[in-house]
Amino acid sequence: MLPEMWSSMRRWFLGSLTAEKNEQNVANPRQKDHSVLEASAGEKQENGPTPAKKTTMLILMAPPKDLQQKIVKAGDKDLDGQLDFEEFVHYLRDHEKKLRLVFKSLDKKNDGRIDSQEIMQSLRDLGVHISEQQAEKILKRIRRGHVFAPVMYMDKNGTMTIDWNEWRDYHLLHPADNIPEIILYWKHSTIFDVGESLMVPDEFTAEEKKTGMWWRHLVAGGGAGSVSRTCTAPLDRLKVLMQVHSSRVNTMCIASGFSQMIREGGIRSLWRGNGMNVLKIAPESAIKFMAYEQIKRLIGSNQETLGILERLVAGSLAGAISQSSIYPMEVLKTRLALGKTGQYSGIVDCAKHIFQKEGLAAFYKGYIPNILGIIPYAGIDLAVYETLKNSWLQTYATDSADPGVFVLLACGTMSSTCGQLASYPLALVRTRMQAQAAALDGGPQMSMSSLFRHIVRTEGAMGLYRGLAPNFMKVIPAVSISYVVYENLKVTLGVQSR
């Protein structure tokens, strides 16, 4: 086994250097564009005495610098910043086990070979749909290293299948150990914040969880959401007012709505309720992430990246759990946004007022339509995003799966908009139910179904979409602002780009 590994290593590095050549390289260890790994050559030979230890040098030229660092980090057991021969052999053996597992998962027919149909099926399980021609391109894929390094083909013998030896030799010295990395560029849920709480949680790689990068991503996403929600808060409050107060008799357009808010409470009133909208980001994100990870284990998934259906189920359940936990904050946000100047002195006073006059049940008004809205929002959002992603991959993906910033923004905006459009009637009924408890004027407290019927009967089907215009107006600025802030916070927090 070890000679085969060493043979692969020799091909990946610039070649095995003799002791004499290595000693010449030691004389000039800082040679430009050469990354040097020290390896102990004092291994015991199969036949014969143990030779004296001496230092050999391997000049790593083919892989990029970040690849070198990942390998050193993965194999450096004594944390001395260097990779000796024993550590390197241990890394190769450990990595070969991972590669064997991936190979077996791809080999659907269990015939010891991977063909184009098996590649298509494996990617389809991850939500990526490719043609047979594209699968054949993957089989014939070329790794281009340094200008002086050899070109490596995965399918060496041209049979359009890959056996275990070809798979291992191609991937052995690459630290990636699973196929889902192909679609990590397309992760979007913690980046694009449009003020809604129904998105499917983000997924993180094993490396991100191990190194603690996941919480930095969450912090960066939370900070980006706070900024974007604050910037679009006037539109969000206008949406709430139109959902509750606008009707056929009392029409409210965007201009009149802004004028009414400013007349009633001044410029500052445009941000009424935004404090609670920002405060609920942190607990909601944390609970949703933890619930999502536990649900993934319960449904028996051992993949880092779930399929679409699994992600919808796990994401919807995690969303329901997080919404159940922070829903009183949703009610407080709506009440504050609908409140008049001087009605509440702050968040605590609002909560105290609701509890004393309406009881604990008032904090869960509109809970059922809110939970029901998670499924259409998450389902449509995922479906549209996956469709757009697959269309881009089919048409434009040639050398990389990275779509670039503008494509990601466009796909995220479109999928979120479609998700909101599907769940908006439920969101409107939720807001009406949250607001109707505030009146307590002796009128009946309407249930979800009766409120639906009342709106359709008195305002028509379009009554279920009151406030849709300001809601859509905030999507593009919210997505753009959250993305820009997210990228800058990642740099500040030292988060590595994926």
Side-chain angles (χ1 to χ4, degrees):
M1 183 69 69
L2 184 58
E4 293 177 354
M5 294 181 186
W6 193 256
S7 175
S8 298
M9 183 184 69
R10 286 163 59 95
R11 285 193 293 272
W12 194 64
F13 287 108
L14 189 59
S16 178
L17 302 182
T18 62
E20 290 78 15
K21 290 183 179 179
N22 289 331
E23 290 171 358
Q24 293 176 4
N25 289 329
V26 173
N28 188 15
R30 299 183 180 274
Q31 187 175 352
K32 188 177 180 181
D33 294 329
H34 288 64
S35 298
V36 182
L37 296 175
E38 294 187 7
S40 170
E43 290 285 291
K44 185 178 294 185
Q45 302 295 322
E46 293 183 3
N47 299 310
T50 302
K53 289 188 176 182
K54 56 184 176 182
T55 302
T56 62
M57 310 296 286
L58 292 174
I59 303 179
L60 185 61
M61 299 181 68
K65 180 175 286 188
D66 61 334
L67 223 57
Q68 304 169 19
Q69 293 172 349
K70 283 186 178 181
I71 292 175
V72 173
K73 186 176 180 180
D76 186 16
K77 301 300 180 182
D78 55 8
L79 303 178
D80 62 353
Q82 296 178 336
L83 205 63
D84 60 34
F85 183 81
E86 292 181 0
E87 290 173 335
F88 195 82
V89 170
H90 184 273
Y91 165 79
L92 290 177
R93 287 173 173 164
D94 182 65
H95 196 58
E96 187 181 40
K97 293 178 183 177
K98 296 177 182 178
L99 291 175
R100 174 73 74 173
L101 292 175
V102 177
F103 183 85
K104 287 183 178 180
S105 69
L106 292 173
D107 184 16
K108 307 292 185 183
K109 302 174 185 176
N110 294 320
D111 60 356
R113 291 183 175 274
I114 301 172
D115 58 26
S116 58
Q117 293 296 325
E118 290 170 325
I119 289 179
M120 292 171 64
Q121 179 61 45
S122 298
L123 291 177
R124 193 179 299 118
D125 293 340
L126 297 173
V128 179
H129 299 272
I130 63 173
S131 64
E132 187 168 3
Q133 290 77 13
Q134 290 172 314
E136 290 174 356
K137 285 184 179 179
I138 294 175
L139 288 174
K140 296 185 291 186
R141 184 180 174 186
I142 301 173
R143 177 188 293 168
R144 295 179 176 88
H146 191 278
V147 65
F148 297 113
V151 176
M152 294 182 64
Y153 296 81
M154 196 186 305
D155 179 25
K156 298 176 185 177
N157 53 17
T159 59
M160 295 307 296
T161 60
I162 303 170
D163 61 24
W164 161 242
N165 291 328
E166 291 173 329
W167 172 266
R168 182 199 59 208
D169 291 352
Y170 185 81
H171 290 287
L172 188 59
L173 287 150
H174 193 286
D177 56 322
N178 56 72
I179 295 294
E181 289 187 1
I182 296 172
I183 58 174
L184 290 184
Y185 289 112
W186 294 87
K187 291 163 65 172
H188 72 297
S189 40
T190 58
I191 301 175
F192 305 120
D193 190 296
V194 292
E196 300 298 323
S197 308
L198 310 178
M199 285 186 171
V200 174
D202 206 345
E203 298 172 44
F204 299 97
T205 64
E207 182 182 2
E208 287 171 327
K209 294 173 185 176
K210 185 177 180 180
T211 59
M213 282 293 171
W214 64 270
W215 70 262
R216 299 190 189 187
H217 280 287
L218 289 181
V219 170
S226 299
V227 175
S228 69
R229 292 186 187 193
T230 300
C231 292
T232 59
L235 287 168
D236 191 63
R237 188 182 179 217
L238 176 61
K239 177 194 73 174
V240 173
L241 290 174
M242 293 178 71
Q243 285 177 332
V244 176
H245 297 306
S246 182
S247 64
R248 283 179 176 175
V249 178
N250 179 29
T251 58
M252 180 187 294
C253 65
I254 294 174
S256 63
F258 276 122
S259 299
Q260 180 180 325
M261 286 190 289
I262 294 173
R263 280 199 311 269
E264 190 276 328
I267 296 294
R268 288 186 61 185
S269 69
L270 298 177
W271 279 266
R272 191 172 294 162
N274 181 62
M276 180 54 69
N277 198 28
V278 169
L279 283 176
K280 68 186 179 72
I281 293 176
E284 182 186 17
S285 299
I287 294 170
K288 188 183 292 185
F289 170 73
M290 290 186 291
Y292 189 60
E293 290 299 310
Q294 293 302 317
I295 293 168
K296 282 169 60 177
R297 295 188 181 95
L298 289 175
I299 63 178
S301 175
N302 57 1
Q303 298 177 355
E304 288 184 14
T305 304
L306 300 179
I308 299 176
L309 183 59
E310 290 177 311
R311 197 172 181 212
L312 175 60
V313 172
S316 298
L317 290 175
I321 292 171
S322 65
Q323 283 289 293
S324 300
S325 303
I326 60 95
Y327 191 75
M329 302 176 78
E330 293 277 0
V331 176
L332 285 172
K333 174 235 174 184
T334 300
R335 294 294 186 86
L336 287 166
L338 293 170
K340 299 184 182 298
T341 302
Q343 184 175 355
Y344 307 114
S345 60
I347 295 173
V348 176
D349 181 61
C350 180
K352 184 179 178 181
H353 180 86
I354 295 172
F355 180 74
Q356 289 177 344
K357 293 194 173 184
E358 305 170 39
L360 188 62
F363 289 101
Y364 282 89
K365 282 286 185 178
Y367 173 77
I368 294 177
N370 185 72
I371 293 298
L372 292 177
I374 292 175
I375 297 175
Y377 185 99
I380 298 296
D381 183 30
L382 277 176
V384 173
Y385 195 78
E386 291 295 324
T387 300
L388 294 174
K389 177 188 74 176
N390 291 330
S391 297
W392 188 92
L393 289 172
Q394 289 275 8
T395 309
Y396 301 105
T398 53
D399 298 325
S400 172
D402 185 1
V405 173
F406 293 108
V407 174
L408 282 176
L409 288 174
C411 293
T413 302
M414 183 67 70
S415 64
S416 177
T417 300
C418 293
Q420 289 186 69
L421 186 63
S423 64
Y424 194 83
L426 287 165
L428 181 137
V429 171
R430 174 202 67 192
T431 305
R432 290 271 183 104
M433 293 181 71
Q434 290 171 344
Q436 70 176 351
L440 289 180
D441 54 0
Q445 300 296 302
M446 303 178 73
S447 65
M448 181 184 71
S449 58
S450 61
L451 191 54
F452 259 115
R453 289 194 297 268
H454 174 75
I455 294 172
V456 173
R457 185 175 62 253
T458 59
E459 304 176 41
M462 291 303 298
L464 295 172
Y465 289 90
R466 298 285 182 188
L468 187 64
N471 188 65
F472 279 177
M473 285 175 62
K474 72 174 185 175
V475 171
I476 293 178
V479 168
S480 304
I481 292 169
S482 61
Y483 184 85
V484 171
V485 176
Y486 179 80
E487 290 298 315
N488 283 277
L489 284 177
K490 282 201 323 183
V491 175
T492 304
L493 294 171
V495 177
Q496 298 174 354
S497 297
R498 289 179 277 194

